[in-house]
Amino acid sequence: MKPLRSRVLLLLPLIFILAACTSGTPQTPLTKPAVTATKSRVPASPTGAVSSLQVSDEALRDLTIELWHPWFQGVEASLLESMVDEFNQKNQWGIQVALTGQINYSYLYENVTTALPTPRRPDLVIALPEQARAWSGDGYVADLTPYLDDPIYGWDADQRQDFPSAFLAQDTAGAARLGLPAQRSARFLLWNKTWAGELGFDSPPRTPEDFHLQSCRAHQAMLADATPDNDGLGGWIIDSDSMTAFSWLLAFEGGVLEGQDYRFLTPNNITAFKFVKSLQEEGCAWQEPSGQDATEAFAARGGLFATAGLEQFPDQVRAFSAAGNSDEWVPLPFPGKDQDALVIYGSSFVVLDSTDEEQLASWLFIRWMLEGETDARWAKATGLFPLRGSSIDLLGSYAVSHPQWAAAVELMPQGQIQPQLASWRTVKVMLGDGFDCMFRGTPQCLQAPVILSQMEAISHDLSE
């Protein structure tokens, strides 16, 4: 190991953990079972168009497919079970979807990876795009392009354009499509508009300089009041989530890639890290002690800004209610000099290589899940983004009663995707850990160029 990396004491445990997660022997894909469809009865439309998939309706009758998902309990698990029951009862082919929950995305990845070279692998998985890329590299993921393009079962141009481009782009690999969105969220800055007005600001920050000014003004207000206990508060409540770190890099026109290789040590990334670190050094940003809740601190005016994923908005609303705080708060992208940053993330439907009949049955379930009404039900129950533009029309009442969600939806066109690499599964964890190290005062992480150099070296190790 190079001398520079040996000094990264805080990051070493993470490196060993991630290395263990990525180890394993190469796996050889199973031979795909022979197609048994009756080609002479391939479905045709009233206009005479014929499916190119060479699977008959009879071959789909009463077929059972296995769907593995990352939720053991909670809203997603119960809602998915309800939707699967509905599909099983109503679909015209009698296709049956059997569900298996895997607790979380890490368990899902490990269990699917273990099952891939065996007959017990699932037909369909709700997984993260970077997980799908790892499986695709071993030859186990079906390309969905033929299903999208099929004249009978596919989508026309209008249906495809109904999805925001960032939602679809995450799952592409060259000309292949490895998945379609199952859920999409984003990381936002939360801004207390009411308190900002009292501090003399009538608009949200448009640039990093504006963000610095408003954050420091909030800290100065804490110093000026009669309560000494809050003198260390105000400004931005620091958050070291990997998507927060990535968003700040993008806001300064940096990032983590150069071509298809990781590159952290760049002038723009150095400027980004120095900017957020200087906020802390000036007292204009502060970090919650471990175990404390930033949503409660934001609701109690502990900071003018906080950071949260769209999935956390309901918790933030409840925190304001519990605190008896009627302040208006607004989600924002991360402000940049020329372009704001908003990183889209979330899980996707991934079809694994199986028989032609099982792959088509999996596609038909995905297609049903992504219909407008079904999509609107999912967005309303989970509080995440609707996946189709037309679904928004079905969520008018929900938007009125959830103004922060509605404001977030308006920002969807600004969305940017994550790196399209299988190694991002572990590199993003390292990014969040290094970002946190910078704020914790660990000597090895105090200087932005040093920590970024360490990140770049480790990311290359994790990519091998």
Side-chain angles (χ1 to χ4, degrees), residues 119-407:
R120 54 178 289 272
R121 72 170 179 260
D123 302 288
L124 179 60
V125 183
I126 297 177
L128 299 176
E130 55 267 27
Q131 296 174 333
R133 288 180 187 279
W135 301 327
S136 177
D138 292 328
Y140 288 108
V141 175
D143 180 8
L144 294 181
T145 304
Y147 301 92
L148 284 164
D149 292 343
D150 189 74
I152 302 300
Y153 298 114
W155 285 340
D156 60 27
D158 290 340
Q159 288 172 306
R160 298 181 196 214
Q161 292 172 4
D162 199 23
F163 291 81
S165 59
F167 289 10
L168 295 180
Q170 189 68 64
D171 295 298
T172 58
R177 172 159 294 283
L178 305 183
L180 282 166
Q183 290 185 310
R184 289 295 185 266
S185 183
R187 199 80 180 164
F188 295 90
L189 278 174
L190 308 184
W191 176 60
N192 188 320
K193 181 179 180 179
T194 303
W195 186 18
E198 296 173 9
L199 295 173
F201 301 103
D202 57 6
S203 62
R206 304 296 183 189
T207 65
E209 290 76 18
D210 289 344
F211 181 81
H212 177 273
L213 178 62
Q214 292 198 22
S215 296
C216 290
R217 183 78 59 83
H219 173 58
Q220 291 162 6
M222 294 293 197
L223 293 175
D225 67 16
T227 307
D229 292 344
N230 66 9
D231 285 357
L233 309 184
W236 175 44
I237 303 172
I238 295 169
D239 156 60
S240 56
D241 185 274
S242 60
M243 292 300 100
T244 299
F246 187 39
S247 297
W248 277 122
L249 295 181
L250 293 178
F252 281 79
E253 301 180 33
V256 300
L257 292 178
E258 185 174 77
Q260 288 298 301
D261 295 324
Y262 289 107
R263 180 78 189 280
F264 286 87
L265 186 58
T266 67
N268 288 354
N269 286 348
I270 292 172
T271 301
F273 270 29
K274 283 184 175 180
F275 172 78
V276 292
K277 179 61 179 178
S278 68
L279 287 172
Q280 183 191 38
E281 292 172 341
E282 295 175 42
C284 304
W286 63 283
Q287 193 167 32
E288 278 282 291
S290 298
Q292 294 192 14
D293 191 346
T295 59
E296 295 179 359
F298 183 58
R301 285 198 177 186
L304 184 64
F305 298 97
T307 326
L310 183 57
E311 64 276 12
Q312 297 172 297
F313 282 18
D315 292 336
Q316 192 63 73
V317 170
R318 285 189 287 270
F320 268 77
S321 177
N325 186 351
S326 60
D327 286 355
E328 179 183 359
W329 58 276
V330 179
L332 306 172
F334 289 72
K337 289 182 178 294
D338 299 312
Q339 180 179 340
D340 295 340
L342 186 69
V343 178
I344 302 291
Y345 56 85
S347 59
S348 296
F349 292 107
V350 180
V351 177
L352 298 181
D353 186 62
S354 59
T355 67
D356 290 350
E357 295 85 355
E358 289 167 334
Q359 289 181 190
L360 177 54
S362 297
W363 160 250
L364 293 172
F365 175 71
I366 295 171
R367 191 182 70 174
W368 181 82
M369 284 291 292
L370 293 177
E371 290 179 356
E373 290 187 1
T374 314
D375 176 40
R377 286 167 53 195
W378 187 267
K380 185 175 180 180
T382 62
L384 297 179
F385 285 132
L387 300 175
R388 306 181 65 148
S390 59
S391 304
I392 299 174
D393 296 335
L394 304 174
L395 293 163
S397 297
Y398 183 82
V400 170
S401 60
H402 296 77
Q404 288 87 15
W405 176 88

Side-chain angles (χ1 to χ4, degrees), residues 90-111:
K90 293 183 177 180
N91 78 86
Q92 66 188 71
W93 306 275
I95 296 169
Q96 299 296 293
V97 178
L99 281 177
T100 300
Q102 297 290 331
I103 303 179
N104 58 39
Y105 286 105
S106 295
Y107 276 92
L108 174 79
Y109 178 78
E110 297 302 329
N111 290 339

